[in-house]
Amino acid sequence: MDEARAVLARLERIEALERQQAPARVLLEEVRALLREAEAWARAEPAGAQAMEAVEACKAALAVFPEDA
């Protein structure tokens, strides 16, 4: 469950950065890291529906940013 904790901690960090009105590039870095952590969670628990939902949510969030941001 370390992977799940990492995802939750990253989400909290992103929320805090949003409240602080952090620059978009900082948030984008965090979202990309969140996606990597969510993928690790999904690999650790391949049958876990929650893990797959997290991965899909991260991919959707990342899709709104251009690749070169």
Side-chain angles (χ1 to χ4, degrees), residues 9 11-23 27:
L11 285 170
E12 289 177 9
R13 211 167 18 255
I14 290 169
E15 288 174 354
L17 287 168
E18 286 177 330
R19 285 191 300 273
Q20 298 167 3
Q21 299 179 335
L27 288 170

Side-chain angles (χ1 to χ4, degrees), residues 6-68:
V7 167
L8 294 174
R10 181 73 62 180
L11 285 170
E12 289 177 9
R13 211 167 18 255
I14 290 169
E15 288 174 354
L17 287 168
E18 286 177 330
R19 285 191 300 273
Q20 298 167 3
Q21 299 179 335
R25 68 176 170 69
V26 172
L27 288 170
L28 181 56
E29 278 183 37
E30 291 293 324
V31 170
R32 287 182 174 141
L34 176 63
L35 179 56
R36 288 189 299 272
E37 291 165 353
E39 288 173 330
W41 182 17
R43 283 191 299 275
E45 300 180 30
Q50 289 180 330
M52 293 313 297
E53 288 174 18
V55 169
E56 292 308 315
C58 291
K59 286 180 181 179
L62 188 57
V64 300
F65 293 100
E67 279 296 314
D68 59 350

